[in-house]
Amino acid sequence: MASDKFALLGCVVLLVTSTGCPGSATGGVAVRPDGSPGPQACPEKAREAMNYLRMFVGEAAWAQLDANQTRARPITLYDGNIESVLEENIGLLEAPARLYGRVWTGGPQVVIRYYAAQPVKGGAPVPICAVARLGFGQLRKHPESKPGTAILDSPRAGAYIVDEFR
């Protein structure tokens, strides 16, 4: 039984490191002069996984931006990795799946890119390409935000499926 768990863990590690999940997909993103991230291709493995899960470009669902600050107002986000909580299903990915990505706070508004989703019923993380969006400039950070942080009024935003990061 222990050897089965070890084999399963080995397969999960291999899948995560080879499919463009958070550790590998975010490396090498060019940063624009204002501190926001530049364009980035969506890995082919993520495009395949999203197609299989019927997660098509433009589809969206509400997500709590930070799993550690659900429903808090305001919230503070930090540059680096983030874990969000999906509030609604997207395609075959059921809520409350976890979304794993990266936050950039250097520009005038926060940029959040998601690279992986953890299905609620278990299994390995699935590579995806999604972004957090909220209309009317609501991902714009408060002026009193310190470098490397962003204070936002809303703890939630739409998680939108994309085919590349722009």
Side-chain angles (χ1 to χ4, degrees), residues 72-87:
R73 284 186 190 263
I75 64 168
T76 302
L77 299 181
Y78 300 89
D79 280 327
N81 295 333
I82 191 166
E83 176 184 356
S84 299
V85 181
L86 195 62
E87 292 183 339

Side-chain angles (χ1 to χ4, degrees), residues 154-165:
S154 180
R156 56 196 297 246
Y160 284 80
I161 302 300
V162 297
D163 59 357
E164 67 179 304
F165 300 104

Side-chain angles (χ1 to χ4, degrees), residues 98-121:
R98 297 301 193 256
L99 301 176
Y100 298 105
R102 182 162 175 79
V103 177
W104 286 266
T105 64
Q109 66 180 32
V110 173
V111 175
I112 302 173
R113 293 179 177 176
Y114 296 111
Y115 300 100
Q118 176 64 55
V120 68
K121 293 183 181 175

Side-chain angles (χ1 to χ4, degrees), residues 27-78:
V29 176
V31 178
R32 294 181 172 113
D34 71 355
S36 63
Q40 182 183 18
C42 181
E44 185 60 34
K45 292 281 187 186
R47 293 162 72 101
E48 289 173 12
M50 292 186 307
N51 189 51
Y52 178 75
L53 291 173
R54 306 190 57 73
M55 298 168 62
F56 303 118
V57 173
E59 292 187 347
W62 285 107
Q64 288 291 323
L65 292 174
D66 186 344
N68 296 314
Q69 300 182 69
T70 57
R71 306 203 196 296
R73 284 186 190 263
I75 64 168
T76 302
L77 299 181
Y78 300 89

